[in-house]
Amino acid sequence: MREIAKLVLVLGLICGISAGSLSTVRTYLADRIEQQNDLFVRGPALELLLQQPAQDILANKLIIDSPEGQALLFYIMDTGRVSGLAIETVGKGGYGGDISLMLGVNMESNQLLGLEIIKHQETPGIGAQIEKTTFRNQWRKLSTRDPVRLIAAGGTIDGISGATYSTNAVMDGTQKAISAFNNSKDQISELIQQANSADQQIE
Amino acid sequence: MSRFLSVLVHGIWKDLPPFRLVLGLCPALAVTASANNGMGMGLSVTFVLIFSNLTISLLRNIIPDKVRIASYIVIIATLVVLVEMILQAYFFGLSQQLGIYIPLIVVNCIILGRAEAFAARNPAFLSAVDGFSVGLGFTFSLTLVGSIREILGAGTWFGIPLTGPDFEPFAFLVKAPGAFICLGLILGLMNAYGRWRGENVIQ
């Protein structure tokens, strides 16, 4: 009995110390990892959507709460006004898991600037075709006022045959991004103003 | 002193992990498409080896025999997650390239092998030296395989273009079959050399 207690105690102690040290390091490095993730994973997508160097956009980061959950948002300014947004959401129900994607929105024309896939684990050659430009270009210039739908549902998007789950997950993410944008337009501009005035105060 | 020296050099020729011990072949085949990746993987394994050997050796009188493997794996896993976080925070590109093979260092036979064969019955400093030696050999081997594959398969070395535009790279070398062929040739050459020197070689 004492032997078993000793076994449990030693193993438990080792696990405890390991977990403790890892979570310490994690807290210490979390910000830096997030930064690197922004720069290398989100950066290229942001550059393509908003046509500006990633370094400039990444500083303009906001988190907004919407009924569907939190959405991550990046914005660019043009002569004192917000000219473009990129909204990142997670599309549920992909074949290989959730799909992270980013939608660009032109604030002046209320049109979509495009769609970029940030992270996915879909089957290469089938579901992974969501990355192809021919598929993603269908999002360009769609209005944020109308819901984005597949042709089968009366919309304009031609889905990928054989990859229904992947297509649906992308549509899910799109809908979340658009509704986050429409529901919290005021909240977004307010937050951006706050962020900017805070910046000015620091300066 | 002679013991220290023999421990220091044994990993570099006598117990060279992938070629002489034929251990740790999975990373040696999978991530050596370029010299840079091979070296990154090798250094990550070296880091884990040194500290796992050190920790296990320090705890060798505390850990009960019955739970030793479990304890070793907890210690190794902790170090691997540590390496993973450090790579993500400071070498993001490399961590994306190495991907799943970094977490898989946990089950790398070299590390558990050194823990069981050396660190569990030798003093701490000598164990760390052993980890360093074997890790160095592993890093050297992976960099070698990566260099051969990268130079002949892509015409570059550590990303620097080496060959002129007239050189047609052997593209298959940077793909999976190239790894097997490359490793096989190196193993064959090393065995031939070993036999010529009259050593006992793997039959």
Side-chain angles (χ1 to χ4, degrees), chain B residues 6-16 114 130 133-134:
Chain B
S6 75
V7 170
L8 185 64
V9 297
H10 82 107
I12 294 158
W13 177 259
K14 196 171 131 279
D15 290 331
L16 192 60
R114 289 328 289 171
D130 173 77
S133 161
V134 173

Side-chain angles (χ1 to χ4, degrees), chain B residues 136-148:
Chain B
L136 202 68
F138 189 66
T139 309
F140 167 74
S141 314
L142 257 64
T143 315
L144 179 74
V145 179
S147 301
I148 295 173

Side-chain angles (χ1 to χ4, degrees), chain B residues 73-124:
Chain B
I73 289 179
V74 172
I75 293 166
I76 295 166
T78 310
L79 287 162
V80 170
V81 177
L82 201 65
V83 168
E84 201 184 359
M85 287 195 287
I86 293 173
L87 282 180
Q88 275 176 3
Y90 297 98
F91 306 95
F92 195 82
L94 188 66
S95 85
Q96 293 291 93
Q97 291 276 316
L98 298 179
I100 182 71
Y101 293 100
I102 289 292
L104 279 181
I105 297 177
V106 178
V107 288
N108 193 319
C109 340
I110 301 171
I111 295 167
L112 202 55
R114 289 328 289 171
E116 179 79 349
F118 199 93
R121 50 184 81 118
N122 281 289

Side-chain angles (χ1 to χ4, degrees), chain B residues 176-189:
Chain B
F180 285 97
I181 290 170
C182 199
L183 190 84
L185 288 176
I186 296 176
L187 267 178
L189 282 174

Side-chain angles (χ1 to χ4, degrees), chain A residues 3 6-7 10-11 14-15 18 21-22 25-26 28-29 32-33 36-37 40-41, chain B residues 59 62-64 66-67 70-71 74-75 78 81-82 85-86 88-90 92 96:
Chain A
E3 200 199 340
K6 196 193 168 203
L7 298 184
V10 171
L11 200 53
I14 292 179
C15 291
S18 298
S21 52
L22 277 181
V25 176
R26 175 91 213 170
Y28 182 70
L29 287 178
R32 172 122 194 138
I33 292 175
Q36 295 281 306
N37 216 12
F40 288 97
V41 181
Chain B
L59 297 175
I62 303 168
I63 297 172
K66 278 182 183 156
V67 291
S71 310
V74 172
I75 293 166
T78 310
V81 177
L82 201 65
M85 287 195 287
I86 293 173
Q88 275 176 3
Y90 297 98
F92 195 82
Q96 293 291 93

Side-chain angles (χ1 to χ4, degrees), chain A residues 13-65:
Chain A
L13 261 178
I14 292 179
C15 291
I17 294 169
S18 298
S21 52
L22 277 181
S23 65
T24 315
V25 176
R26 175 91 213 170
T27 357
Y28 182 70
L29 287 178
D31 286 346
R32 172 122 194 138
I33 292 175
E34 182 71 11
Q35 252 176 37
Q36 295 281 306
N37 216 12
D38 276 2
L39 191 60
F40 288 97
V41 181
R42 297 186 174 123
L46 284 170
E47 280 183 5
L48 285 169
L49 285 176
L50 302 175
Q51 306 286 330
Q52 278 193 13
Q55 294 281 13
D56 300 352
I57 314 169
L58 285 171
N60 304 337
K61 187 174 172 181
L62 286 177
I63 293 168
I64 52 163
D65 295 306

